[in-house]
Each structure stands twice: as structure tokens, then as C-alpha cells.
């Protein structure tokens, strides 16, 4: 009887391992098909892996369902898939689930749930969630307005070179909101934010309100920041 129990345990472990390997192969097949822009086949492959609990497949299929790529656009189903992946600890799924609650896609707006899931991903160090939670604190949506907390979250995301967080920090420093006004710091972060439309426009405005010395100092700080934060491979 003991030998039978050991056999059952080994067999169950082997079956689980084989299933996991199968799910990984189906997920990788889905990735390859997606890169070929064969979206319907990619979605089908992700669905097979998702049914086996493969977290990345659940997230990818959720994203495709949210966008209507290869499958019919279905917000409630996208939320279901994001939740499955979020409950397994996927920070990307947690962040997307939070955004759907915040934007009322597939569900009534629920900022409490949005904050809950953003915070989970932010606490795990995910920069997009840190930025998004910072926006809620800056605007007082779902949480009491707290510019200092917003600054902390934007700063954490900025350390990971999140461009939107750079932009928000630039505004805060240049306008003196939540932190002491500091034009040089403001210019530094606005420059780091890159050239997406809002950032480029405000940087041009900020430079017009700054001296040549302040701009030069900010540019020096940008170079130093980039040296200390090499681009991720």
C-alpha cells in the first residue's frame, strides 16, 4: 500500500509537470503566432495555456480580449482573465485590472478596487502601477488627496525611467506643488520625460521661464541621471 501511495504521488507530480510544460509550449506558440500577426491562432494558443493556469497566457489573452485582437472585444471577459492572472501575482494584470475599474470598462467604476490592485502592483515595484497610483493621490480620486504621497510614487516610478512619472515630477517641481519650487529639478525631469506632446510643450514653456544658467545646470543633471540609470537591455 505504501508503494502504491508513492507511485500515485510520483504520477501526480509527473502529470502536473507535463501539464506545465504543455502550457509553456502553448504559450510560446501563441507568442510566435502573435509576432506573425496571426492573432486568431495566437489567441487560441493562449486560451489553451490559460485554461491550464499559465499566468502569462491569461494576461496576454486578457489584453487581446480587451483590444479585440483575434477574438471579439469583451471587457467582462478581459477582466476575468486579468483577475485570474492578478491573483497569481502578475503585476501587469493587476495594473490592467485596476485601470478597468478606474475607467469603468466592463464594470461600474470602482476606485476602491482600482486603488487595491494598483497598490498591490506598486508595492511589488511595478513602475506603471506606481505612476497610476500617484495620479490618484495627486487628484484625490479613490484616496485622500496627498501630494507628498503622489511625489513618492512618481519618484519611485521615475527611478525606473517611467517617462510619465518624469513628466509629473517636472510639473511638481516647476510649479512648486507638493514639493518646494525648483526650476532646475523641474527642467531636469521635463527633459527626461522625452518629447511626447505634453512634455515637449511644457518643456518649451518652462525653458522660456528659465535662465540660460538654469537650463545648463538642468542639462548637466540630466546627463548625470542618465549615467546613473543605464538603459535596460
Amino acid at each position: 500500500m505504501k508503494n502504491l501511495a508513492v507511485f500515485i504521488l510520483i504520477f501526480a507530480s509527473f502529470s502536473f509537470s507535463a501539464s506545465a510544460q504543455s502550457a509553456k509550449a502553448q504559450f510560446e506558440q501563441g507568442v510566435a503566432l502573435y509576432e506573425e500577426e496571426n492573432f486568431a491562432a495566437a489567441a487560441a494558443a493562449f486560451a489553451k495555456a490559460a485554461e491550464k493556469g499559465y499566468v502569462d497566457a491569461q494576461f496576454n489573452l486578457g489584453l487581446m480580449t480587451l483590444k479585440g485582437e483575434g477574438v471579439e472585444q469583451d471587457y467582462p471577459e478581459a477582466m476575468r482573465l486579468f483577475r485570474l492572472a492578478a491573483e497569481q501575482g502578475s503585476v501587469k494584470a493587476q495594473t490592467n485590472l485596476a485601470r478597468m475599474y478606474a475607467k469603468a470598462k466592463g464594470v461600474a467604476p470602482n476606485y476602491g478596487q482600482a486603488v487595491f490592485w494598483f497598490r498591490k502592483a506598486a508595492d511589488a515595484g511595478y513602475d506603471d502601477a506606481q505612476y497610476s497610483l500617484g495620479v490618484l493621490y495627486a487628484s484625490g480620486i479613490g484616496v485622500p488627496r496627498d501630494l507628498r504621497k503622489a511625489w513618492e510614487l512618481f519618484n519611485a516610478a521615475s527611478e525606473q525611467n517611467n517617462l510619465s512619472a518624469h513628466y509629473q515630477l517636472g510639473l511638481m517641481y516647476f510649479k512648486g506643488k507638493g514639493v518646494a519650487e525648483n526650476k532646475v529639478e523641474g527642467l531636469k525631469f521635463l527633459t527626461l520625460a522625452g518629447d511626447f506632446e505634453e512634455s515637449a510643450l511644457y518643456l518649451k514653456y518652462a525653458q522660456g521661464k528659465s535662465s540660460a544658467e538654469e537650463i545648463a545646470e538642468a542639462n548637466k543633471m540630466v546627463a548625470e541621471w542618465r549615467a546613473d540609470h543605464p538603459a535596460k537591455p
Side-chain angles (χ1 to χ4, degrees):
M1 183 64 70
K2 182 178 179 181
N3 288 340
L4 178 61
V6 171
F7 172 77
I8 291 172
L9 181 62
I10 292 172
F11 180 76
S13 176
F14 174 78
S15 298
F16 176 79
S17 177
S19 177
Q21 287 298 318
S22 172
K24 182 181 179 183
Q26 288 162 342
F27 168 75
E28 291 174 348
Q29 181 186 34
V31 171
L33 288 165
Y34 189 90
E35 288 174 351
E36 294 170 5
E37 298 187 5
N38 190 342
F39 298 133
F46 287 142
K48 289 176 183 177
E51 287 172 5
K52 296 181 175 75
Y54 201 81
V55 63
D56 290 339
Q58 291 168 340
F59 171 72
N60 282 11
L61 184 58
L63 208 56
M64 293 182 76
T65 305
L66 177 65
K67 296 177 180 178
E69 287 183 329
V71 292
E72 185 177 348
Q73 187 177 57
D74 186 335
Y75 291 154
E77 176 62 7
M79 286 196 75
R80 184 187 75 83
L81 289 160
F82 285 146
R83 184 178 296 280
L84 287 172
E87 288 173 349
Q88 292 196 70
S90 167
V91 293
K92 292 182 179 179
Q94 289 166 352
T95 302
N96 276 273
L97 184 59
R99 284 179 179 148
M100 293 190 78
Y101 274 116
K103 296 180 179 179
K105 287 192 172 182
V107 68
N110 187 326
Y111 291 110
Q113 281 293 299
V115 169
F116 174 82
W117 289 109
F118 276 141
R119 183 167 284 130
K120 268 191 172 295
D123 288 347
Y126 188 50
D127 62 301
D128 282 349
Q130 291 166 337
Y131 163 74
S132 296
L133 186 57
V135 169
L136 295 185
Y137 272 105
S139 54
I141 296 175
V143 288
R145 190 166 187 256
D146 186 336
L147 292 179
R148 184 62 188 180
K149 182 65 177 177
W151 177 87
E152 290 172 359
L153 287 159
F154 291 146
N155 193 61
S158 169
E159 281 296 306
Q160 298 182 67
N161 201 24
N162 184 292
L163 301 185
S164 296
H166 288 328
Y167 175 62
Q168 292 297 331
L169 285 176
L171 295 181
M172 292 181 84
Y173 276 111
F174 204 82
K175 295 179 178 180
K177 289 192 174 181
V179 289
E181 181 182 313
N182 186 324
K183 284 186 177 181
V184 174
E185 281 288 320
L187 287 166
K188 178 188 83 172
F189 282 110
L190 289 169
T191 302
L192 287 171
D195 59 359
F196 65 88
E197 186 175 0
E198 284 182 276
S199 177
L201 287 172
Y202 201 86
L203 175 60
K204 187 174 181 180
Y205 165 81
Q207 288 173 332
K209 296 289 184 179
S210 305
S211 67
E213 290 77 13
E214 288 170 329
I215 294 171
E217 180 62 21
N219 288 336
K220 178 183 175 184
M221 291 171 70
V222 167
E224 291 171 350
W225 191 96
R226 287 177 172 155
D228 290 338
H229 299 78
K232 297 177 183 178

